[in-house]
Amino acid sequence: MFDYETYKTHEAELLRRADHERLVGQARRAGRRRAARRGDNGPKGPVSPPRDRFVRAA
């Protein structure tokens, strides 16, 4: 009986952990979608456009 209780406790912990990871993934994806709709560059900050990186040709 003790083995079964240990198994059920472990199973419940795994299910809680899986639910938490799923919710975290959904929140990340929602944040990325929200940033894309606003035109932001996301949580990592702005990225300079390519033309700012090179000097003008003479």
Side-chain angles (χ1 to χ4, degrees):
M1 190 66 182
F2 179 73
D3 290 336
Y4 180 74
E5 291 171 0
T6 305
Y7 162 76
K8 289 307 257 182
T9 303
H10 186 64
E11 180 187 28
E13 175 62 29
L14 289 175
L15 288 172
R16 276 193 296 273
R17 201 178 295 176
D19 284 340
H20 180 262
E21 289 179 13
R22 181 180 48 79
L23 288 173
V24 167
Q26 285 177 350
R28 278 193 188 131
R29 284 190 297 277
R32 288 182 189 141
R33 282 193 299 261
R34 191 176 330 116
R37 274 195 307 261
R38 285 187 303 199
D40 287 349
N41 290 316
K44 295 190 178 180
V47 177
S48 61
R51 68 186 121 183
D52 290 346
R53 291 187 220 148
F54 302 105
V55 297
R56 288 184 173 242

